[in-house]
């Protein structure tokens, strides 16, 4: 029963990822997304902004910094867990991979919010897609854990 729920969840997440990639590709082909490859500096002048906008910008920066640190720590935890365990298919490894995906999505949202507040444009990177893929990998890890457990019980 648990395997069926995980399989359905993996299928739904994979369908969302495929649709999101298609939309992103279409927007790029139609040149509707701004060039995110340029290394321009974005400076938010707090004196010229309303208080709520400057405060929201500071919150976005704080979330961005916390997400980058969280992603780094989570990536280290994933690598440590994978190197220490007999099998990579554990709940702990799946949780760390899921957290890494959530941090990637938080990085994308907070950076996009800050750029929008500071410059008035929306600039998308591929962290959201990496986050969705990492989340789907965490579901695969959970499914693998169940299969590993069944295999171990069979022997």
């Amino acid at each position: 029963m648990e395997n069926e729920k995980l399989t359905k969840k993996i299928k739904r997440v994979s369908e969302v990822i495929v649709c999101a990639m298609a939309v992103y590709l279409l927007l790029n082909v139609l040149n509707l997304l701004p060039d995110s490859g340029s290394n321009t500096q974005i400076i938010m002048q707090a004196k010229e902004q309303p208080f709520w906008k400057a405060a929201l910008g500071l919150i976005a920066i704080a979330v961005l910094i916390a997400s980058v640190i969280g992603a780094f720590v989570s990536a280290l935890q994933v690598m440590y867990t994978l190197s220490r365990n007999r099998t990579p298919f554990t709940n702990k490894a799946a949780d760390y991979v899921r957290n890494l995906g959530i941090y990637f999505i938080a990085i994308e949202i907070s950076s996009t919010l800050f750029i929008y507040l500071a410059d008035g444009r929306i600039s998308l990177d591929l962290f959201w897609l990496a986050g969705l893929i990492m989340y789907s990998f965490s579901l695969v890890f959970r499914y693998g854990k169940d299969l590993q457990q069944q295999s171990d019980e069979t022997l």
Side-chain angles (χ1 to χ4, degrees):
M1 184 64 174
E2 185 68 28
N3 286 345
E4 291 175 16
K5 288 170 65 175
L6 278 173
T7 304
K8 287 180 184 178
K9 202 170 192 179
I10 290 169
K11 185 177 178 184
R12 278 195 309 262
V13 170
S14 298
E15 289 170 350
V16 168
I17 290 171
V18 168
C19 290
M21 288 174 64
V23 168
Y24 188 79
L25 180 65
L26 181 67
L27 290 174
N28 270 330
V29 167
L30 296 175
N31 203 18
L32 295 176
L33 291 177
D35 183 23
S36 62
S38 63
N39 292 329
T40 58
Q41 282 188 327
I42 297 177
I43 301 170
M44 184 175 187
Q45 298 291 335
K47 292 179 183 177
E48 300 172 4
Q49 301 293 334
F51 175 75
W52 68 270
K53 204 173 189 181
L56 195 57
L58 289 174
I59 291 170
I61 289 174
V63 169
L64 178 63
I65 291 169
S67 298
V68 168
I69 292 169
F72 183 75
V73 169
S74 189
L76 287 176
Q77 288 173 327
V78 167
M79 293 301 117
Y80 181 75
T81 301
L82 293 179
S83 68
R84 299 278 296 174
N85 290 337
R86 180 178 64 84
T87 176
F89 302 114
T90 63
N91 278 334
K92 193 180 271 190
D95 289 344
Y96 292 149
V97 172
R98 182 198 64 217
N99 292 344
L100 187 59
I102 291 169
Y103 285 129
F104 279 177
I105 292 169
I107 288 170
E108 181 69 31
I109 291 170
S110 59
S111 65
T112 302
L113 177 64
F114 179 74
I115 291 171
Y116 178 73
L117 290 171
D119 200 30
R121 63 185 173 92
I122 295 178
S123 175
L124 294 175
D125 290 324
L126 290 176
F127 276 103
W128 61 271
L129 181 61
L132 288 175
I133 290 171
M134 295 306 283
Y135 181 77
S136 65
F137 280 162
S138 76
L139 297 174
V140 171
F141 271 63
R142 287 196 192 286
Y143 186 75
K145 178 209 47 113
D146 290 344
L147 292 178
Q148 181 74 43
Q149 185 178 13
Q150 288 176 359
S151 173
D152 290 345
E153 290 171 355
T154 303
L155 298 176

